[in-house]
Amino acid sequence: MTEQQLPRLDTSGWERVLCVVAHPDDMEYGASAAVATWARAGIEVSYLLLTSGEAGMQRPPEEVGPIRAEEQRAACAEVGVDRLEILHHPDGMLTYGLELRRDIARVVRQVRPQAVVTGVWEVEAYGGLNQADHRAAGLATIDGVRDADNTWVFRELADEEGLAKWHTTALLVAGHPEPTHAVAVDEQAVRASVRSLQAHQAYLADLPNHPKPDEFIPPILVETGKAAGCDYAVGFRVYDLGGLAGS
């Protein structure tokens, strides 16, 4: 992150935000502080998980999927998210393609968000090599959001399911090493973000070397806050898809 101050993201006029990620817990590494802030401001935030994270623990996948879904519901409750949908694509084998794009476009048309949040899709991310599902999820989200706004792509969504096309004004990438905007959050939102990751209790127990949420999430938000001129902030790389406030 550069020393130059990050501008605050203008969310005026936002009514709905859709977060599209690969796994349970993907939103909980700081981005959920922004979610808690939006929810308290009256913005309806929905989560779309493309897998149930069933390959992420050292026990049978058929046992893990329900555990992680329940932990994600608990995490959502900590930050004010009422709508959670899990598509159950195979964890660890998420495949970029038309099926995944269609599934994302369908939910975009159902939720009709002003903004969509997703994760980093670059090969190198988070201090190492990015996980395959993260890459597929991010790329499919880019295209699924635009597909949702195209009359002639996935016509069956309108013709057979009655889902009219929808224009999303902004795509926000969480966890990007070069954020363009910041969402200022307060200490209450920081605590909610920490609790949202702590809600993944069984998952974290399978990762003995994982840092404690209350030890690493607040410092990340403090660092971004310094760049944004406030106590705490969440950074996003923001892509204006046409109609973003202040553009």
Side-chain angles (χ1 to χ4, degrees), residues 49-209:
L49 275 57
L50 304 179
T51 82
S52 60
E54 73 277 6
M57 295 173 63
Q58 300 305 310
R59 60 179 84 180
E62 59 270 18
E63 180 183 343
V64 171
I67 291 172
R68 300 205 68 191
E70 185 60 32
E71 291 187 337
Q72 184 61 65
R73 283 189 284 271
C76 286
E78 293 291 353
V79 293
V81 173
D82 294 324
R83 175 171 176 161
L84 167 65
E85 182 170 356
I86 302 175
L87 294 184
H88 302 294
H89 285 270
D91 183 23
M93 297 179 285
L94 191 64
T95 303
Y96 172 89
L98 293 178
E99 180 183 1
L100 190 59
R101 284 169 50 184
R102 183 189 298 111
D103 285 348
I104 294 169
R106 175 183 291 109
V107 177
V108 170
R109 290 189 180 195
Q110 291 170 341
V111 174
R112 301 169 72 84
Q114 281 73 43
V116 169
V117 178
T118 193
V120 179
W121 55 80
E122 282 83 358
V123 172
E124 294 186 34
Y126 312 117
L129 294 175
N130 201 2
Q131 199 262 356
D133 289 351
H134 296 163
R135 303 197 308 266
L139 289 173
T141 299
I142 296 171
D143 294 332
V145 166
R146 292 186 292 195
D147 294 336
D149 193 29
N150 191 322
T151 302
W152 311 117
V153 176
F154 305 132
R155 298 189 199 185
E156 64 273 20
L157 293 180
D159 296 344
E160 299 173 14
E161 301 181 36
L163 296 172
K165 72 174 185 177
W166 176 257
H167 175 70
T168 299
T169 60
L171 179 73
L172 281 57
V173 184
H176 199 284
E178 297 182 358
T180 59
H181 293 76
V183 173
V185 300
D186 61 15
E187 191 170 346
Q188 179 180 345
V190 175
R191 292 196 300 268
S193 181
V194 168
R195 291 195 305 271
S196 73
L197 183 54
Q198 289 172 335
H200 297 274
Q201 185 176 356
Y203 175 68
L204 294 178
D206 250 28
L207 302 171
N209 296 321

